[in-house]
Amino acid sequence: MTMIQALRSAMDVMMEKDDNVVVFGQDVGYFGGVFRCTEGLQKKYGKSRVFDTPISEGGIVGVAIGMGAYGLRPCLEIQFADYIYPAYDQIVSEAARLRFRSAGDFTAPITIRTPCGGGIYGGQTHSQSPEAVFAHVCGLRTVMPSNPYDAKGLLISSIENDDPVIFLEPKRLYNGPFDGHHDKPVVPWSQNPLGEVPEGYYTVPLDKAAIFRPGKQLTVLAYGTMVWVCEAAARETGIDAEIIDLRSLWPLDLETIVESVKKTGRCVVVHEATRTCGFGAELVSLVQEHCFYHLEAPIERVTGWDTPYPHAQEWAYFPGPARVGAAFKRTVEA
Amino acid sequence: MSKAEPLRLHVPEPTGRPGCATDFSYLRLSPAGAVRRPEVDVAPMETRDLAYALVSVLDPEGNAVGPWVPEIDIEVVRKGLRAMMKTRIFDSRMLMAQRQKKMSFYMQSLGEEAIGTAQALALNVDDMCFPTYRQQSILVVRDYPMVDMICQLMSNERDPLKGRQLPVMYSVKKAGFFSISGNLATQYIQAVGWGMASAIKGDTKIASAWIGDGATAEADFDTALTFAHVYRAPVILNVVNNQWAISTFQAIAGGEDTTFAARGVGCGIASLRVDGNDFLAVYAASRWAADRARRNLGPCLIEWVTYRAGPHSTSDDPSKYRPSDDWSHFPLGDPIARLKQYLIKVGAWSEQEHEETQKRLEAEVLTAQKEAEQYGTMASGHTFSPAEMFDGIYKELPEHLRVQRQQLGI
């Protein structure tokens, strides 16, 4: 399956399994989503379970919270992560706090799916990676898969989870893995082992990272598209990097990270999002705090620049294998 | 070259500021009994006239007149009056407790007691209300124990919300009272979602959404109207127009030369504008809207015209921005006085019963306060353990919070 098909399969499985799962968002119903992630679901489950909404992100998340309070399990879509901000009040002040402020009287078991990330000439408002603004909010879970297998398993886990989940989908990975070599043709998921996805129900646990590529020379902390870029950088530099795909950004799998850095003594953090106060800062801080006496080099960060995501300058902005590889070299040689 | 005059920015002002009287002629009133009562399946566009008029039942002499006189058991009306009185006594008692530093903060609903009380009586107990911080009358009339309310206010060891929330931000699922948030208007769209959920499941429950005049300017107000209209959600969209948002007159919220009820019609929602200090009108309009919602006929928006008689909160001094005797000039009077007059007129109440009830309720509130204080007050420092602040953020305690709790030494 492609990541699109895997995500659709996850929703299909969960709608079949649990009558309380409902799917909605802009263009999600009849049309099946602008990325085809919900294609056929309305026909299969009916308009009261899968439906189109007005263009109102605050409204989409707001009604989901009300539905969650009633007892449903909404899985909703915000068309692009770049457009999630009108819903920020509902996400931060309401969904994230409802369980705490009501002492468990009400909860918000909702999943907010939203395509994120660049590398597609999306310009300023079709490329952003806003994970840090959610990882900062107590009460939220922030999740990002990097391949179809994880996408389905993590989405099922997210829908089943009783906490609100921000489920970020790197749209650059929807049809195939992407390692940053934009001049080469995209290889479809059908030619990658991680594109092999079971038809039925399975889960990938939240709060659990995956060692994407085992290695000895340095630890790389990445997620989403950057996992593939880091793998290319390791291949091209010949550096034996241990690439950890975080999968769950927050709460995260600290144990796997610390174990790896203690083993390698070196760490590079890579994300597409802008640098300052990005999620990388938290990762650097955690590694420094927990692995200080094992570190043999400063922790490096390769990220997007502190600029809005540009259009024409896409590949100068996007942290590609050359920039990532250079950081690997500096860290190993330090 | 243009000969146009220089443009001028219009900034609305209330007519009454401290030291001068408010001119209440802006209110667009209608005589009691004068406004028609349409069938519950009326088309939203056919309610235009109602959105600019004022439904009321009780005339100045305390007679119930016109097409909106509700079918209501007199015992229910008596219960309503007692609940309104209890709410007011509770408010004044809690105001005093705040002044005595037994709690950090309080918000009265003085003058607005009829709205929550009568609507709650017109709904079923399993219809979910999404209140603001000024609908405590719903909890009172639904007989939620006052002791539990006061424990929340005092953030003490028996606070149902474990000391996590500011006073008055109650949450009582079993009384159909949704968790109050400090963020204005957010619950309005959530109520629509709750109603949609009820419809998705083929249930028969409806939602009751609450918002003030000032908060209608928040985006979630418009969003709620759009979604309620689009999905024909079974929800009553209440706008409590008490003329004031802290120091801001309702004209600054967009009320000048229009009504909040008219917003509903503009969004394709059947809308009513009702005398919020007329218990019988509130009950009748709420029943009408509830019937409409329950019969799958869609949402209804109701603007309740009332007056915020008290300060905005215990942190507010209204004498700095409005006349101190404003409430005594408000044309729609006092909801308790008006219902009392009616009940006496129909022989179902008396001055003596009123006085006795007043005394009994005062004693009841005082007893509840004493009981609640046994579990501590903010002043006594008997509050929930700090360990509680790490719980319930997620369903399960995540590792980082376990570590932080440990760092606090507990």
Side-chain angles (χ1 to χ4, degrees):
Chain A
M1 290 185 195
T2 65
M3 192 184 275
I4 290 166
Q5 291 163 332
L7 292 164
R8 184 193 306 149
S9 174
M11 286 182 267
D12 192 358
V13 164
M14 284 312 295
M15 293 195 78
E16 184 86 53
K17 187 168 184 278
D18 182 349
D19 280 347
N20 289 325
V21 174
V22 288
V23 168
F24 54 90
Q26 195 188 326
D27 302 305
V28 157
Y30 182 85
F31 180 57
V34 293
F35 293 107
R36 320 309 303 150
C37 288
T38 54
E39 192 173 24
L41 293 180
Q42 186 179 72
K43 197 168 181 195
K44 186 167 176 187
Y45 295 99
K47 285 207 295 185
S48 66
R49 303 251 339 252
V50 183
F51 53 88
D52 290 316
T53 62
I55 305 173
S56 169
E57 292 78 10
I60 294 168
V61 176
V63 295
I65 294 166
M67 290 176 185
Y70 177 92
L72 300 189
R73 206 168 270 285
C75 175
L76 59 101
E77 178 181 305
I78 301 294
Q79 199 161 76
F80 286 88
D82 315 63
Y83 302 132
I84 205 166
Y85 308 115
Y88 201 54
D89 190 30
Q90 286 288 345
I91 295 171
V92 176
S93 312
E94 302 294 318
R97 307 270 170 77
L98 189 55
R99 177 189 295 276
F100 181 77
R101 78 169 194 234
S102 70
D105 209 16
F106 296 94
T107 60
I110 67 176
T111 303
I112 301 175
R113 289 181 43 239
T114 188
C116 71
I120 54 146
Y121 286 107
Q124 290 189 30
T125 55
H126 298 80
S127 308
Q128 295 171 32
S129 298
E131 63 271 15
V133 303
F134 298 110
H136 182 63
V137 179
C138 49
L140 294 181
R141 292 178 175 276
T142 304
V143 174
M144 195 191 297
S146 68
N147 60 73
Y149 181 87
D150 282 355
K152 179 171 174 181
L154 286 169
L155 184 55
I156 290 177
S157 290
S158 298
I159 294 171
E160 286 188 320
N161 195 281
D162 289 330
D163 301 321
V165 180
I166 307 294
F167 194 90
L168 295 157
E169 303 166 358
K171 57 189 163 299
R172 178 70 235 208
L173 302 180
Y174 269 163
N175 291 304
F178 178 67
D179 64 8
H181 287 293
H182 51 92
D183 43 351
K184 293 180 187 159
V186 175
V187 180
W189 282 115
S190 56
Q191 292 175 39
N192 189 293
L194 287 166
E196 279 170 34
V197 177
E199 287 292 334
Y201 172 91
Y202 70 91
T203 59
V204 170
L206 303 183
D207 313 345
K208 199 80 198 128
I211 307 225
F212 188 77
R213 180 199 186 281
K216 295 191 177 68
Q217 279 183 286
L218 85 159
T219 298
V220 179
L221 304 182
Y223 46 87
T225 309
M226 286 302 126
V227 169
W228 298 95
V229 173
C230 292
E231 195 204 31
R235 201 169 55 234
E236 288 159 23
T237 55
I239 290 170
D240 188 19
E242 178 147 293
I243 301 169
I244 297 180
D245 179 358
L246 296 179
R247 302 196 294 197
S248 284
L249 273 49
W250 199 263
L252 54 52
D253 180 0
L254 188 61
E255 206 181 318
T256 299
I257 295 169
V258 170
E259 197 181 317
S260 174
V261 178
K262 281 187 175 170
K263 180 179 75 181
T264 62
R266 291 177 159 85
C267 181
V268 176
V269 172
V270 186
H271 61 57
E272 280 184 73
T274 53
R275 172 174 302 236
T276 304
C277 298
F279 187 59
E282 185 62 36
L283 293 172
V284 169
S285 175
L286 285 170
V287 170
Q288 188 278 146
E289 189 181 323
H290 291 273
C291 311
F292 184 75
Y293 294 107
H294 293 80
L295 285 172
E296 292 170 46
I299 308 162
E300 280 245 15
R301 262 190 296 175
V302 188
T303 68
W305 308 118
D306 280 340
T307 66
Y309 207 113
H311 185 245
Q313 301 85 355
E314 174 100 67
W315 305 114
Y317 176 95
F318 185 92
R323 254 172 76 199
V324 173
F328 286 4
K329 278 188 196 155
R330 283 195 302 275
T331 304
V332 171
E333 288 160 12
Chain B
M1 285 294 287
S2 165
K3 289 269 173 86
E5 292 273 307
L7 294 164
R8 290 179 307 275
L9 182 70
H10 175 65
V11 182
E13 273 292 326
T15 52
R17 285 296 192 189
C20 53
T22 298
D23 175 4
F24 283 108
S25 63
Y26 73 88
L27 278 175
R28 300 182 71 96
L29 305 178
S30 315
V35 175
R36 70 189 177 93
R37 182 181 185 281
E39 293 300 316
V40 288
D41 61 354
V42 65
M45 277 169 74
E46 304 307 320
T47 62
R48 258 176 302 205
D49 58 322
L50 302 171
Y52 292 99
L54 190 80
V55 171
S56 59
V57 168
L58 291 170
D59 73 12
E61 285 72 47
N63 304 299
V65 296
W68 285 92
V69 174
E71 282 176 34
I72 181 171
D73 193 289
I74 201 71
E75 267 315 309
V76 178
V77 184
R78 284 161 49 85
K79 180 180 162 79
L81 181 62
R82 286 194 301 267
M84 285 158 65
M85 292 169 74
K86 192 161 152 181
T87 303
R88 186 169 296 182
I89 293 163
F90 182 79
D91 276 352
S92 79
R93 191 75 221 170
M94 293 305 108
L95 178 68
M96 203 185 303
Q98 192 277 338
R99 297 304 188 218
Q100 293 166 340
K101 297 189 169 33
K102 288 173 179 173
M103 61 185 74
S104 64
F105 179 76
Y106 193 70
M107 301 179 101
Q108 300 176 84
S109 61
L110 185 64
E112 301 175 35
E113 296 92 344
I115 305 165
T117 303
Q119 177 149 122
L121 288 169
L123 297 174
N124 297 335
V125 121
D126 56 358
D127 293 330
M128 183 66 74
C129 298
F130 287 74
T132 75
Y133 45 68
R134 228 186 287 281
Q135 274 78 50
Q136 52 264 55
S137 56
I138 295 172
L139 281 178
V140 172
V141 74
R142 283 185 166 177
D143 292 320
Y144 180 64
M146 266 187 297
V147 176
D148 291 326
M149 290 174 81
I150 301 169
C151 287
Q152 194 283 325
L153 295 170
M154 293 186 170
S155 295
N156 64 19
E157 286 167 347
R158 228 191 83 180
D159 172 4
L161 306 183
K162 304 182 178 185
R164 295 171 183 167
Q165 271 278 47
L166 198 66
V168 314
M169 305 284 180
Y170 311 105
S171 173
V172 191
K173 191 177 191 174
K174 62 178 186 227
F177 194 92
F178 184 71
S179 161
I180 297 174
S181 167
N183 295 66
L184 295 181
T186 51
Q187 76 289 342
Y188 218 54
I189 178 71
Q190 292 162 7
V192 174
W194 197 94
M196 288 168 69
S198 185
I200 287 168
K201 298 303 279 186
D203 203 342
T204 57
K205 294 177 217 161
I206 65 170
S208 158
W210 295 85
I211 203 166
D213 46 289
T216 61
E218 293 282 5
D220 284 337
F221 173 71
D222 298 292
T223 303
L225 266 55
T226 301
F227 278 69
H229 164 70
V230 168
Y231 300 106
R232 231 173 269 174
V235 57
I236 305 176
L237 297 156
N238 298 285
V239 179
V240 180
N241 179 3
N242 67 17
Q243 317 306 319
W244 292 95
I246 308 186
S247 74
T248 309
F249 182 56
Q250 59 101 34
I252 285 272
E256 195 170 63
D257 297 328
T258 185
T259 70
F260 294 100
R263 308 283 178 89
V265 181
C267 288
I269 295 172
S271 301
L272 303 173
R273 190 166 171 273
V274 180
D275 181 343
N277 291 359
D278 179 341
F279 177 92
L280 294 180
V282 178
Y283 182 87
S286 296
R287 269 306 286 272
W288 188 90
D291 286 350
R292 183 176 170 85
R294 232 182 284 281
R295 286 173 52 185
N296 272 312
L297 297 167
C300 176
L301 184 142
I302 310 176
E303 174 184 349
W304 306 105
V305 179
T306 183
Y307 186 83
R308 195 197 77 212
H312 166 70
S313 73
T314 49
S315 309
D316 176 48
D317 174 7
S319 73
K320 297 278 193 286
Y321 52 81
R322 71 182 190 189
S324 51
D325 61 347
D326 224 23
W327 191 29
S328 59
H329 300 291
F330 181 65
L332 303 178
D334 172 353
I336 292 179
R338 287 174 66 192
L339 190 61
K340 176 188 167 196
Q341 183 193 23
Y342 164 78
L343 274 177
I344 290 175
K345 199 145 202 171
V346 298
W349 197 254
S350 66
E351 286 293 352
Q352 192 194 341
E353 186 170 6
H354 194 85
E355 212 168 293
E356 283 167 8
T357 304
Q358 177 79 16
K359 284 203 178 109
R360 185 173 53 73
L361 291 172
E362 277 170 5
E364 214 179 290
V365 172
L366 194 61
T367 306
Q369 186 185 343
K370 279 183 180 156
E371 191 189 334
E373 282 185 24
Q374 288 172 12
Y375 304 103
T377 65
M378 282 293 276
S380 76
H382 285 283
T383 56
F384 255 93
S385 154
E388 280 301 332
M389 74 183 163
F390 298 99
D391 262 350
I393 299 164
Y394 298 89
K395 189 179 186 186
E396 318 280 352
L397 186 75
E399 180 61 12
H400 71 283
L401 288 175
R402 194 191 60 75
V403 170
Q404 289 175 25
R405 191 171 69 181
Q406 213 166 31
Q407 286 169 348
L408 190 62
I410 42 178

